[in-house]
Amino acid sequence: MHIPLLLLPVLGALARASPIISRASSWPNAPFTTSGRDMKNSLDETVVYAGVNWPGAADVMIPEGLQYQSVSTIMSKIKDLGMNVIRLTYAIEMVDDIYEGVDSSLKTAFVQALGETNGTKVLKEVLTHNPTFTENTTRLEVFDAIAAEAHTQNIYVHLDNHVSKGEWCCSHTDGNAWFGDTYFNVANWKRGLAFMAKHAKSWPAFTSMSLRNELRTTANGTGDNWVSWYENMIPAADGINKANPSPLIFFSGLNYDTQLGTIVDGNDIGNGTSFALSDHAYADKIVWELHNYANSATNCGDIEGSLRNQGYNAMEGDSTAVNTAPVVLTEFGFDQNSGSESVYAQCIKKYLNTLPGGPGGWMQWVISGSYYIREGGQDKDETWGLLNHDWSDWRNQTATDYTKSFVDETLT
Ligand SMILES: *[C@@H]1O[C@H](CO)[C@@H](O)[C@H](O)[C@H]1NC(C)=O
Ligand SMILES: *[C@@H]1O[C@H](CO)[C@@H](O)[C@H](O)[C@H]1NC(C)=O
Ligand SMILES: *[C@@H]1O[C@H](CO)[C@@H](O)[C@H](O)[C@H]1NC(C)=O
Ligand SMILES: *[C@@H]1O[C@H](CO)[C@@H](O)[C@H](O)[C@H]1NC(C)=O
Ligand SMILES: *[C@@H]1O[C@H](CO)[C@@H](O)[C@H](O)[C@H]1NC(C)=O
C-alpha cells in the first residue's frame, strides 16, 4: 500500500487519537479476491505478493531450518527483506499420516527420516532453538506455529502442496509427477487439499493455497496433458472452495509449471472443451501460477517472450488472454554465489516490476540455507538459499541486495 508522504502526518495523528481503528489491527484484510489481473484484499486494495519459499515437504515433512534457528528468527529475516508472503510447502503424506493415525510427533518424524542417532540429535537442536515445542509436538503444530508467527509479523501465508510422498522435488521419475503416478494417489491428494484448506481457517495470515506444484510427465512418459489436467484440477479446486471458500486458489500448469497458455487463452484442451473462468462459481478466487528457471538465458527478450506465451499475457492486458486472472511467479531463483547479476535474475526483476498495470507477484526459491535431508544427504547445503548454512545470516550480500531491491520496487 502506497501512502502519499503528505498524508503521513495526518494518518499519524489519527492513529494516535484512535489506535483501535488503525488499519494495522485488521491485517491481513482477508479474504482476498481477484479483479481482472489483480489480487484484492477485503478493502478492495490491490495486493501484490513479494516473498520467498519456505520448504516443508521433504522427508521429515517439517519446515526446514528449525535445528539452527527459531521460527521467529527466520520469519524476522524474511521481514527484514521487506517481504510480505511465504510460500509454505507441505506433503500430502503428512495429511495421510494424520488420517491413518500414524504418530506424527517431531521425535518420530526426525528419527524416521534421519535415523535414530542423527534424528535424536537434530530433534534436540530443534527443541533448543524452539523451546515452545516438545518431542510430542506434531508436524502440523509446527505449521501452526509458523502461521501464527507470520500473523504476528504481518506476512501472508500461501500454502503449497509440493508433493504427495515427502521428498525432494521434482523429477519425472520421483513418483510424484502426475495424477496416478506411483505415490500420487488422486483421492488422497484431494482429501489432503481439503483438509489443509479447512485446517488453515484457524490461521489469520492464511490468504491463498495451491493445487499442486510442478506437474510433469511420469517416468514412462505418460501424463502432462490438458484433458487429464482439467479432469483432476477442477474437482480438486471445487473441493478446496467447498472446504473453505476464503483462500485464493492457485492453478499451476504443465511441464514443471511452465505452461498455462492454453488455459489462459481459452483454447481447446484437446477434446472440444475449453477452460472458462465463468464456468466456476469461485472465478474471483482463481490465480495462475508459473515457475521460471531460464537461468542460462543470454537475452531478456527471449525470457519475456516465453513468459508471455506461458500465461503472462494475462498480466499484460493482452486480448489473447481470455481468462484474465492474476499470474504469480511462485518459483524462480539462482545460485547465490554467482547468479544475482545474471541476465536471468535482472530480467525477471525488470519484467515483473514493469508489467503494464503494475508489478506482478513472486516468491523466490529459496530461504533455506540447508535441508534436514535432501536426496539422501543429511544437513545438505543449499547454494540457492538466501540464508547461509546455519540460517544465521545472508549467504551473499550482493544477492541479498538484489532481492531487497526487487521487493522494494514491487511493493512501492
Ligand atoms: C548424520 O548426519 C551427518 C551430517 O550431519 C551425515 O554426514 C551422516 O551421514 C549422517 N548419518 C547417517 C547414519 O545418516
Ligand atoms: C511425550 O509423550 C510421551 C508418551 O505419552 C510421554 O511419556 C512424554 O513424557 C511426553 N514428553 C513430553 C516432553 O511431554
Ligand atoms: C505409466 O506410469 C503411470 C504412473 O506411474 C502408470 O499409471 C501407467 O500405468 C504407466 N503406463 C504404462 C503404459 O506403463
Ligand atoms: C473433455 O475432458 C474433460 C475432462 O475429462 C471433461 O470434463 C469434458 O467434458 C470433456 N469434453 C468433452 C467435449 O468431452
Ligand atoms: C556474491 O554474488 C556476486 C554476484 O553474483 C558474485 O559476484 C560474488 O562473487 C558472490 N560472492 C560470494 C562470496 O560468493
Side-chain angles (χ1 to χ4, degrees):
M1 182 178 60
H2 180 74
I3 303 172
L5 281 176
L6 279 174
L7 281 178
L8 280 174
V10 180
L11 287 176
L14 281 176
R16 275 192 297 280
S18 47
I20 288 158
I21 60 159
S22 90
R23 265 191 183 174
S25 66
S26 51
W27 187 95
N29 298 308
F32 289 179
T33 51
T34 67
S35 170
R37 47 89 86 196
D38 293 320
M39 297 180 1
K40 298 282 183 181
N41 67 14
S42 59
L43 305 174
D44 204 34
E45 294 164 336
T46 299
V47 176
V48 181
Y49 280 162
V52 72
N53 282 268
W54 188 345
D59 313 47
V60 195
M61 293 175 257
I62 292 172
E64 302 286 343
L66 303 179
Q67 81 278 45
Y68 287 122
Q69 305 295 337
S70 68
V71 168
S72 67
T73 299
I74 297 168
M75 199 72 72
S76 299
K77 291 267 179 219
I78 295 168
K79 189 74 183 178
D80 284 347
L81 293 171
M83 289 177 163
N84 67 3
V85 66
I86 51 170
R87 179 174 184 251
L88 188 57
T89 79
Y90 69 95
I92 293 295
E93 187 183 354
M94 172 178 79
V95 182
D96 292 345
D97 283 352
I98 293 168
Y99 274 98
E100 283 150 32
V102 171
D103 174 15
S104 299
S105 67
L106 294 193
K107 182 170 182 195
T108 305
F110 278 110
V111 166
Q112 262 175 11
L114 307 183
E116 184 76 37
T117 308
N118 277 358
T120 306
K121 177 171 158 279
V122 172
L123 168 67
K124 194 160 163 270
E125 292 160 358
V126 169
L127 301 184
T128 301
H129 289 284
N130 295 273
T132 59
F133 298 156
T134 75
E135 61 183 16
N136 294 331
T137 298
T138 64
R139 291 175 179 131
L140 193 57
E141 286 167 344
V142 175
F143 281 82
D144 291 341
I146 289 179
E149 183 62 28
H151 182 233
T152 300
Q153 300 208 30
N154 290 9
I155 304 255
Y156 306 120
V157 175
H158 170 78
L159 199 48
D160 171 65
N161 173 230
H162 213 63
V163 286
S164 287
K165 177 183 162 54
E167 61 181 358
W168 176 255
C169 192
C170 305
S171 80
H172 293 290
T173 55
D174 64 12
N176 281 318
W178 191 259
F179 312 104
D181 200 358
T182 312
Y183 304 120
F184 195 161
N185 177 301
V186 173
N188 287 23
W189 169 63
K190 289 182 191 158
R191 178 180 73 175
L193 292 175
F195 176 92
M196 291 305 280
K198 198 176 265 182
H199 181 78
K201 280 183 184 174
S202 63
W203 301 348
F206 173 59
T207 47
S208 57
M209 67 188 284
S210 79
L211 286 161
R212 184 73 167 196
N213 177 62
E214 300 198 357
L215 295 160
R216 54 202 180 271
T217 51
T218 65
N220 64 19
T222 60
D224 219 37
N225 66 81
W226 289 119
V227 171
S228 167
W229 180 95
Y230 194 96
E231 182 178 303
N232 289 287
M233 295 287 260
I234 307 298
D238 293 348
I240 288 176
N241 186 252
K242 189 163 166 242
N244 180 355
S246 294
L248 298 176
I249 304 174
F250 280 43
F251 281 67
S252 59
L254 303 187
N255 194 21
Y256 294 90
D257 197 14
T258 60
Q259 295 172 19
L260 265 170
T262 299
I263 301 303
V264 169
D265 295 352
N267 290 334
D268 185 346
I269 60 170
N271 68 350
T273 289
S274 302
F275 181 94
L277 277 176
S278 56
D279 288 345
H280 307 282
Y282 50 90
D284 68 350
K285 293 291 183 182
I286 294 176
V287 173
W288 309 127
E289 66 173 311
L290 284 168
H291 292 179
N292 187 287
Y293 288 109
N295 297 64
S296 55
T298 51
N299 180 325
C300 184
D302 293 347
I303 299 176
E304 294 178 345
S306 319
L307 286 170
R308 193 168 298 126
N309 285 333
Q310 290 163 359
Y312 265 92
N313 51 342
M315 288 301 273
E316 294 191 4
D318 191 300
S319 61
T320 53
V322 171
N323 294 305
T324 296
V327 186
V328 177
L329 194 68
T330 51
E331 282 189 28
F332 81 98
F334 48 84
D335 190 320
Q336 296 287 293
N337 297 324
S338 59
S340 65
E341 279 154 8
S342 64
V343 168
Y344 165 75
Q346 297 299 325
C347 182
I348 294 288
K349 177 169 169 239
K350 173 180 145 268
Y351 179 71
L352 291 187
N353 282 341
T354 58
L355 281 165
W362 53 272
M363 289 111 163
Q364 190 167 343
W365 186 273
V366 62
I367 192 69
S368 337
S370 54
Y371 300 100
Y372 303 123
I373 180 168
R374 167 176 165 177
E375 298 167 292
Q378 296 196 18
D379 195 29
K380 198 74 182 278
D381 194 47
E382 173 58 280
T383 57
W384 288 38
L386 271 62
L387 290 171
N388 61 9
H389 190 91
D390 68 4
W391 298 55
S392 62
D393 203 352
W394 305 118
R395 187 170 284 266
N396 178 334
Q397 194 56 51
T398 308
T400 306
D401 290 346
Y402 161 92
T403 298
K404 210 166 183 322
S405 69
F406 197 163
V407 176
D408 288 347
E409 288 168 25
T410 299
L411 299 183
T412 52

